[in-house]
Amino acid sequence: MNAATHSAMHSGTSRLPEAVSAIESAALRSDRFRLEREADWQRLEAIVTRMEKGRLRRLPDEDLLALPGLYRTVASSLSIARETSLDAATLAYLEALVQRAWFVVYGPRSSLWDWLRGFLGGGWSAAVRGIWPDILIAFAVMVAGTAVGWLLVAQDVNWYHALVGGDMAGGRVPGATPEVLRRTLFGESERGGMSLFATQLFSNNSQVSILAFALGFAFGIPSLLLLVHNMAMLGAMLWLYHGAGLLVDFAGWLAVHGTTELFAIMLAGAAGLHIGRALAFPGDRPVLQATAEAGRRAALVMTGVVLMLVVAALLEGFARQLVDQTFGRFVIGGFMLALWCAYFFAFRGNRRQVGPA
């Protein structure tokens, strides 16, 4: 054994007691840290556990009053434990406890059912009323878009193919006989003709609703242009059936799900415009604050728009298939329109609302 090897072995042997001493010192420090604060940890854990089990009413008042202070104490203990590199078990325990306590102290106070009850019980309708100027603008733009589509096709029939795609049009094109167009409205639904068109129309309108909302950040201008383009397609279809003497029948066919579907598109466009208007005209508030408030309100409206689109899909899939006469279709469509108007503009619900009014 040479001198270098002997020196290395001697050095390693001399460091071994130092390493053992360091480990024992760290363990002692960790134990002391735990013993000094463990009572607060256990008390907080007991309170959190009882609250998680729904036993809030059984908690003493002193525990409820102590909860915020205990949470801050344990959060401070976690911060110290991370800085001093205490044992992994202590760190894991404190991290889990702080996370659980955070949800108890700062987390939502209502369940999904409570939120849904507040949403349908007044929150959604209040949000819709909160954007009423944008709804009026969106409605005017949709009416104008329908008129533009009608007038363009009336002046030049080639506009029809530009506005109504080939997949959407199918056999519903200029030059089709009234008998062919009538068969698309009555009696052919079960065999797929107009059913396919209705499915395509619903898919298109759903995409338009989402895009009209999403593009609102550009000061609402793309949202309005999208509404014009989509309604111009409807105007072209109205012109086509009007020329065949079937305008009322087509309107009845569309009314079954259209009063809900088009209402949803209008609300989506208004929600996007609401955000864009807040960006362009924040008023006395900072732009970020005005946009954030408008965004929360618009998001609440869009949550309801999704629900309306689901209802429209059910009406299209069942009610329109079962009712094969124009008057009955108008009754269903008119009832749905009256129902939505009454809910949004007459129903006030409870004062406990979801999101900004």
Side-chain angles (χ1 to χ4, degrees):
M1 183 181 298
N2 57 35
T5 304
H6 178 76
S7 175
M9 292 178 62
H10 179 73
S11 175
T13 305
S14 64
R15 290 175 182 173
L16 184 59
E18 295 178 3
V20 173
S21 177
I23 294 174
E24 291 178 350
S25 176
L28 182 63
R29 185 170 64 252
S30 180
D31 290 341
R32 186 182 300 114
F33 179 83
R34 174 184 285 274
L35 289 174
E36 290 174 354
R37 297 166 174 82
E38 194 169 23
D40 290 337
W41 302 351
Q42 292 177 347
R43 186 182 180 191
L44 178 63
E45 184 177 18
I47 295 173
V48 169
T49 300
R50 296 183 68 177
M51 293 182 70
E52 288 174 342
K53 293 181 178 180
R55 301 174 182 174
L56 181 61
R57 295 181 179 179
R58 299 181 183 179
L59 280 176
D61 292 341
E62 54 269 19
D63 284 346
L64 289 176
L65 293 174
L67 178 60
L70 289 171
Y71 169 75
R72 288 190 292 269
T73 298
V74 177
S76 176
S77 297
L78 175 60
S79 178
I80 296 172
R82 286 172 173 169
E83 292 178 359
T84 56
S85 301
L86 295 182
D87 64 277
T90 302
L91 279 173
Y93 170 78
L94 290 175
E95 287 175 351
L97 180 57
V98 168
Q99 186 179 32
R100 292 169 58 199
W102 185 90
F103 280 104
V104 169
V105 176
Y106 298 107
R109 294 290 185 270
S110 60
S111 64
L112 176 61
W113 170 250
D114 291 334
W115 180 88
L116 186 62
R117 184 171 55 185
F119 174 75
L120 296 176
W124 181 19
S125 60
V128 169
R129 290 193 300 273
I131 64 170
W132 68 267
D134 309 285
I135 292 176
L136 292 179
I137 296 174
F139 176 74
V141 168
M142 291 176 70
V143 172
T146 304
V148 166
W150 181 301
L151 294 175
L152 285 175
V153 179
Q155 293 295 324
D156 185 355
V157 73
N158 291 322
W159 273 104
Y160 184 90
H161 301 286
L163 295 174
V164 184
D167 293 339
M168 184 76 71
R172 294 161 291 276
V173 294
T177 63
E179 291 75 16
V180 171
L181 293 177
R182 176 177 289 276
R183 283 198 298 269
T184 65
L185 298 177
F186 302 104
E188 292 292 321
S189 298
E190 294 78 4
R191 291 191 286 275
M194 211 61 168
S195 296
L196 178 60
F197 171 66
T199 302
Q200 293 171 339
L201 189 63
F202 173 78
S203 176
N204 173 78
N205 289 340
S206 300
Q207 295 174 13
V208 169
S209 299
I210 296 172
L211 284 175
F213 171 68
L215 296 176
F217 71 92
F219 304 106
I221 296 176
S223 301
L224 298 180
L225 294 177
L226 195 61
L227 291 180
V228 170
H229 179 269
N230 189 68
M231 297 308 295
M233 179 187 68
L234 178 60
M237 296 290 293
L238 291 172
W239 172 87
L240 176 67
Y241 280 89
H242 170 72
L246 298 171
L247 179 61
V248 175
D249 293 323
F250 177 73
W253 177 91
L254 184 65
V256 176
H257 60 281
T259 51
T260 298
E261 204 167 297
L262 294 178
F263 209 139
I265 292 177
M266 182 179 67
L267 291 182
L273 180 61
H274 187 64
I275 296 176
R277 195 163 56 88
L279 277 169
F281 308 104
D284 298 332
R285 299 166 296 174
V287 174
L288 290 179
Q289 179 185 350
T291 306
E293 293 177 359
R296 288 192 294 269
R297 184 178 293 110
L300 195 61
V301 173
M302 278 303 298
T303 302
V305 166
V306 173
L307 178 61
M308 293 180 72
L309 291 175
V310 172
V311 173
L314 294 175
L315 289 171
E316 189 277 327
F318 295 97
R320 187 185 58 78
Q321 304 284 359
L322 297 174
V323 179
D324 204 32
Q325 56 170 319
T326 299
F327 177 76
R329 291 170 174 177
F330 270 122
V331 169
I332 296 174
F335 172 78
M336 293 306 302
L337 180 61
L339 180 65
W340 292 122
C341 289
Y343 173 75
F344 290 132
F345 306 115
F347 175 69
R348 291 297 186 267
N350 53 44
R351 295 185 178 181
R352 181 176 174 270
Q353 298 170 354
V354 181

